[in-house]
Amino acid sequence: MSTATRTDTRSPAPHIADGHDLIRVHGARENNLKDVTVEIPKRRLTVFTGVSGSGKSSLVFNTIAAESQRLINETYSAFVQGFMPTLARPEVDVLDGLTTVITVDQQRMGADPRSTVGTATDANAMLRILFSRLGQPHIGPPGAYAFNVPSVRASGAITVERGAKKAVKATFHRTGGMCTRCEGRGTVSDIDLTQLYDASKSLNEGALTIPGYTAGGWNHRLYSESGLVDPDKPISAYTTKELHDFLHREATRMKIAGINMTYEGLIPRIHKSFLAKDKEAMQPHIRAFVERAVTFATCPECDGTRLSEGARSSKIEGISIADACAMEIRDLAAWVHGLDAPSVAPLLATLRQTLDSFVEIGLGYLSLDRPSGTLSGGEAQRVKMVRHLGSALTDVTYVFDEPTTGLHPHDIQRMNDLLLRLRDKGNTVLVVEHKPEVIAIADHVVDLGPGAGTGGGTVCFEGTVEGLRTAGTVTGRHLDDRAALKETVRTPTGTLRIRGATAHNLRDVDVDIPLGVLTVVTGVAGSGKSSLVHGSIPADAGVVAVDQSPIRGSRRSNPATYTGLLDPIRKAFAKANGVKPALFSANSEGACPDCNGAGVLYTDLAMMAGVATTCEECEGRRFQASVLDHLLGGRDISEVLAMSVAEAEEFFGAGEARTPAAHRVLTRLADVGLGYLTLGQPLTTLSGGERQRLKLATHMAEKGGIYVLDEPTAGLHLADVEQLLGLLDRLVDSGKSVIVVEHHQAVMAHADWIIDLGPGAGHDGGRVVFEGTPTDLVTAPATLTGHHLAAYVGA
């Protein structure tokens, strides 16, 4: 038998397949892009920078990522595509060299009460398998440890045919880990009946005080015309049976007002219509009612762990799965590293890797049972990143949207290491970012601008970081900007006393926050800043809090409707033309009849995803043609809504269209750096930082004496930070007290007073490690923040 001999020879020349090392974009015109052409190197780290609104997201997300996603979706069957969003081809002439894109954005995770950090990653699933193999006593398969799986028992004859034999099964049961009392939510709700009705009145006298239950409406008639209770008798005079039927009766089909309807007691109905929904997604008046009428308490049966008694009783080395999920992830990682079980060695190795990734990425202070809806945008983005760090995929394109949001300068270095690790695995990494620390590690930089909105949309520079520094673009000029420490600081006019603060990880904190000055609260992510500012300031202190929580609104909402700007504009149009203001609302009488004022028509394609097409009748303008005949200052209402804030500020500031009420709102919008937004731009298209600044502009008209801002520099270009500092100064000089939770060194340097929390995150934080002026912090830097601020100002 002869043995084949292996002979290796070198490839004579590079293979043609290795030549595709660029992503080529030619003629991109999405949103404000003006025929943009760029060539992005693959398997490199490319940073896209430029002022807010310059077109970074339009190029990276709406062109490159969107087209990659569209092409992948087209590979699925028509049936599967029916469950996916239909993506239109981006406005671009040529897109060449694309690879699969994975987008890691800052969209907050769903606020479903049963979604936690553990369920959002694979960590919880791996822990459940671990306990089902090693836990003592053994209580069942992995599902027995899952708080999302209820226990099920059923009885009845099930005939199983096996050949000639027939076996009859009498019972079926499945063991789940869900707590039966709170159904895996960890909290139970109790309803305050005095907030539902006035017991001294009858139904016909308007006893019900629930939103949507006004007399005459169907919700009211369901009870008043049911025949089960006397609608003219005060509720306090009901018999025990009447009160039970009114409040607790189970769903029953019956004839009410001549119509077959389902009658249900008031309390189960409130549970279904209000309590089963995400509170944050409710309209403000409904949310206010729920906060008034419903109290949430920790479930007494599972003590907030969400798990059944059986799941809590099974332990590994004295630790139950509830204990493991409640630990800070870095402590859990140390415990898992100490386990030695050859039977589950591969599982333990993967679990250790996942938990170590959390620690590496600066999220070791979280616990797996933390509800995912409570994570900030930056934390949510980093949790999503954990999924990809252990991924076996290579040669894909990762797209990040400002991954340093919410990160202390100390943590930015860790994030940089992770981005470089993803690149070194052979992936293309595209990052939209403003921070100089991230721009510095780029292999390639694309700088968009020169301005925002219509003043942007062109590539100002493409090349290396060194090239950017000397390029003379807005970003290049500001890349090495350093804010100097203030020579003199303001004198406080009073203090806001916080005593014994224990929210979340705070350790009995006593602190005096000076009033009448600019105070910056800082510290690493997870050190307790938000717990101190949002959770411990007394509710009666007259606080106007501006955070980064999403603005709720439909695709019809826009900056003009949200800020109340549209009201004076409509009145000005109505006065100038002698008609009703309602004509100039796309949600009222002036709406185009074909698209009902939406500007687009939504076509439901049954088994396939619906498609949005521009309305042919109004050509996307949203108004009837007759409404557009009415002009103000030579412009119709659709042209005004298409203006940027800066254009509109000029338009309504002088001349025929002068409208002081509108001009005041527009000035506030320009002050917070939103001059590039168009008035009619849907709120759903704004970034987290833009939403926060929109809220700030709206709240600036309020009478509160203390402003609390949560990272107002998020999404701000280096050049705009100076403008924001000017705005904060104006707020303080007008007699307000401003408290800012912030990591940006320029804001710290500009502060009158700094409160630094730490020294670490989670149980290593929660203490005040420094109080004083920025100069004191830099002079003897004893904290992480002090070291970074000293390096920043060159002290």
Side-chain angles (χ1 to χ4, degrees):
M1 231 177 114
S2 64
T3 309
T5 316
R6 176 172 161 169
T7 57
D8 288 352
T9 56
R10 282 189 175 277
S11 300
H15 195 283
I16 191 167
D18 298 329
H20 299 279
D21 51 5
L22 289 174
I23 296 174
R24 294 183 185 85
V25 181
H26 288 271
R29 295 177 298 280
E30 201 62 31
N31 296 333
N32 68 331
L33 295 180
K34 295 171 181 168
D35 228 12
V36 164
T37 296
V38 288
E39 294 193 338
I40 301 159
K42 286 188 186 173
R43 294 174 285 282
R44 295 291 180 272
L45 174 62
T46 301
V47 172
F48 293 79
T49 187
V51 296
S52 298
S54 59
K56 303 182 299 296
S57 295
S58 301
L59 178 59
V60 179
F61 292 95
N62 302 352
T63 305
I64 297 171
E67 179 63 357
S68 171
Q69 188 62 61
R70 187 183 74 86
L71 293 172
I72 289 167
N73 287 4
E74 285 187 351
T75 64
Y76 297 113
S77 66
F79 175 75
V80 174
Q81 284 183 48
F83 298 99
M84 296 176 168
T86 304
L87 301 166
R89 188 179 186 283
E91 279 280 306
V92 60
D93 295 334
V94 179
L95 260 177
D96 194 21
L98 285 180
T99 68
T100 306
V101 168
I102 294 173
T103 303
V104 189
D105 59 20
Q106 287 197 31
Q107 290 295 319
R108 286 175 177 239
M109 293 185 167
D112 184 280
R114 293 202 192 92
S115 173
T116 64
V117 170
T119 59
T121 56
D122 290 335
N124 214 283
M126 288 188 273
L127 268 180
R128 293 201 300 266
I129 298 169
L130 187 68
F131 273 87
S132 71
R133 301 281 180 84
L134 304 180
Q136 293 298 328
H138 176 74
I139 60 160
Y145 297 89
F147 58 77
N148 286 335
V149 178
S151 295
V152 177
R153 282 182 176 76
S155 57
I158 301 171
T159 308
V160 183
E161 296 188 11
R162 291 200 183 95
K165 296 178 184 175
K166 286 189 179 180
V168 175
K169 266 188 171 178
T171 58
F172 162 81
H173 75 273
R174 177 187 71 199
T175 306
M178 180 187 284
C179 167
T180 50
R181 173 80 189 272
C182 65
E183 297 185 345
R185 284 184 169 88
T187 56
V188 286
S189 55
D190 198 12
I191 294 179
D192 179 359
L193 296 180
T194 61
Q195 297 293 336
L196 303 188
Y197 56 79
D198 180 347
S200 64
K201 293 180 179 176
S202 69
L203 288 176
N204 282 345
E205 287 171 337
L208 295 179
T209 55
I210 307 161
Y213 282 69
T214 46
W218 271 112
N219 285 327
H220 184 270
R221 291 177 68 186
L222 188 70
Y223 297 98
S224 62
E225 300 184 27
S226 64
L228 296 171
V229 294
D230 182 349
D232 294 313
K233 183 159 75 171
I235 293 175
S236 57
Y238 282 5
T239 63
T240 309
K241 183 179 184 311
E242 280 180 317
L243 198 59
H244 177 269
D245 283 345
F246 176 55
L247 292 178
H248 302 289
R249 184 163 179 147
E250 290 181 8
T252 315
R253 290 293 288 175
M254 57 197 296
K255 202 163 238 176
I256 299 172
I259 301 168
N260 282 327
M261 293 178 73
T262 300
Y263 178 91
E264 193 171 23
L266 195 60
I267 287 177
R269 202 146 192 264
I270 293 288
H271 268 279
K272 280 180 190 167
S273 57
F274 293 119
L275 302 190
K277 293 175 182 165
D278 168 21
K279 199 165 80 173
E280 287 305 308
M282 294 175 178
Q283 292 170 289
H285 70 288
I286 305 276
R287 193 186 317 155
F289 161 72
V290 171
E291 283 167 353
R292 256 194 341 265
V294 185
T295 54
F296 292 93
T298 302
C299 173
E301 204 156 294
C302 68
D303 201 20
T305 62
R306 308 154 179 259
L307 290 158
S308 64
E309 194 180 343
R312 300 196 309 275
S313 68
S314 178
K315 298 186 177 180
I316 302 173
E317 296 184 3
I319 299 285
S320 71
I321 190 164
D323 299 332
C325 289
M327 284 182 191
E328 287 195 6
I329 290 173
R330 55 185 158 200
D331 298 335
L332 178 61
W335 179 71
V336 172
H337 273 284
L339 294 178
D340 182 25
S343 61
V344 286
L347 174 70
L348 276 175
T350 313
L351 181 56
R352 284 173 190 142
Q353 191 181 357
T354 301
L355 297 175
D356 288 345
S357 293
F358 271 105
V359 178
E360 249 181 280
I361 211 163
L363 293 178
Y365 61 90
L366 295 179
S367 57
L368 293 182
D369 64 2
R370 168 93 173 252
S372 56
T374 65
L375 299 178
S376 69
E379 285 172 333
Q381 186 179 30
R382 299 201 296 284
V383 166
K384 292 173 195 170
M385 205 171 170
V386 169
R387 296 179 197 160
H388 303 301
L389 286 171
S391 167
L393 290 172
T394 63
D395 236 336
V396 298
T397 300
Y398 284 99
V399 177
F400 290 93
D401 185 11
E402 293 181 42
T404 58
T405 298
L407 282 185
H408 188 271
H410 170 69
D411 297 318
I412 290 178
Q413 187 54 52
R414 282 166 141 175
M415 176 57 78
N416 282 350
D417 293 342
L418 293 165
L419 294 172
L420 294 171
R421 251 178 61 193
L422 279 174
R423 177 202 67 185
D424 294 344
K425 275 177 68 177
N427 298 307
T428 306
V429 181
L430 309 182
V431 184
V432 172
E433 188 54 87
H434 296 292
K435 294 270 171 70
E437 298 97 322
V438 181
I439 297 171
I441 64 161
D443 300 308
H444 190 72
V445 179
V446 178
D447 187 19
L448 287 134
T454 52
T458 61
V459 174
C460 300
F461 172 82
E462 202 181 346
T464 62
V465 181
E466 287 69 35
L468 177 66
R469 277 198 167 89
T470 58
T473 66
V474 177
T475 307
R477 288 199 305 275
H478 289 274
L479 199 56
D480 295 312
D481 272 9
R482 295 291 180 266
L485 294 172
K486 284 207 288 207
E487 288 179 20
T488 56
V489 293
R490 299 178 182 94
T491 307
T493 56
T495 54
L496 182 66
R497 291 158 57 86
I498 293 177
R499 293 290 177 267
T502 54
H504 301 307
N505 66 331
L506 294 179
R507 303 188 171 200
D508 209 19
V509 168
D510 294 341
V511 68
D512 289 335
I513 299 176
L515 297 178
V517 299
L518 174 59
T519 303
V520 172
V521 180
T522 186
V524 295
S527 59
K529 302 181 299 297
S530 295
S531 304
L532 179 68
V533 173
H534 295 300
S536 307
I537 289 180
D540 58 355
V543 169
V544 175
V546 186
D547 58 18
Q548 292 203 22
S549 60
I551 291 172
R552 299 287 176 185
S554 68
R555 53 188 166 225
R556 286 175 177 269
S557 305
N558 54 46
T561 57
Y562 181 77
T563 57
L565 170 65
L566 205 55
D567 289 337
I569 290 178
R570 284 203 304 253
K571 284 172 186 163
F573 265 96
K575 190 176 174 186
N577 293 281
V579 291
K580 287 193 295 186
L583 274 180
F584 302 99
S585 169
N587 299 327
S588 187
E589 291 181 28
C592 163
D594 277 30
C595 62
N596 291 325
V600 287
L601 293 169
Y602 296 96
T603 312
D604 182 12
L605 297 179
M607 59 164 256
M608 291 173 73
V611 174
T613 50
T614 303
C615 172
E616 289 181 10
E617 177 69 23
C618 66
E619 295 179 345
R621 291 195 191 97
R622 304 175 61 187
F623 293 90
Q624 296 173 24
S626 58
V627 173
L628 302 182
D629 292 338
H630 300 302
L631 304 179
L632 175 69
R635 302 286 187 98
D636 64 44
I637 183 73
S638 72
E639 288 173 324
V640 167
L641 289 175
M643 285 180 182
S644 69
V645 168
E647 285 175 77
E649 188 185 7
E650 200 178 311
F651 180 72
F652 288 108
E656 189 193 333
R658 185 173 176 274
T659 312
H663 191 257
R664 279 196 296 275
V665 179
L666 289 161
T667 305
R668 290 201 297 270
L669 285 170
D671 274 352
V672 295
L674 294 178
Y676 60 90
L677 285 187
T678 55
L679 305 187
Q681 184 175 338
L683 288 188
T684 48
T685 63
L686 301 188
S687 69
E690 286 169 337
R691 289 190 195 116
Q692 188 186 15
R693 298 202 296 286
L694 186 61
K695 281 187 197 172
L696 175 58
T698 310
H699 287 311
M700 274 165 66
E702 292 181 15
K703 297 287 183 279
I706 302 172
Y707 281 78
V708 174
L709 309 183
D710 195 354
E711 292 181 48
T713 60
L716 268 190
H717 187 264
L718 300 159
D720 296 327
V721 172
E722 207 173 315
Q723 187 182 358
L724 179 78
L725 293 175
L727 171 70
L728 297 180
D729 276 342
R730 285 201 299 280
L731 279 173
V732 175
D733 293 340
S734 69
K736 312 281 188 192
S737 303
V738 179
I739 302 166
V740 182
V741 175
E742 188 55 86
H743 296 294
H744 201 295
Q745 295 101 318
V747 182
M748 292 181 209
H750 200 73
D752 297 308
W753 193 256
I754 288 184
I755 297 170
D756 192 15
L757 290 168
H763 58 55
D764 291 341
R767 289 189 288 270
V768 174
V769 291
F770 173 83
E771 284 179 87
T773 65
T775 309
D776 295 340
L777 181 60
V778 167
T779 310
T783 68
L784 274 173
T785 306
H787 284 293
H788 282 281
L789 186 57
Y792 175 81
V793 297

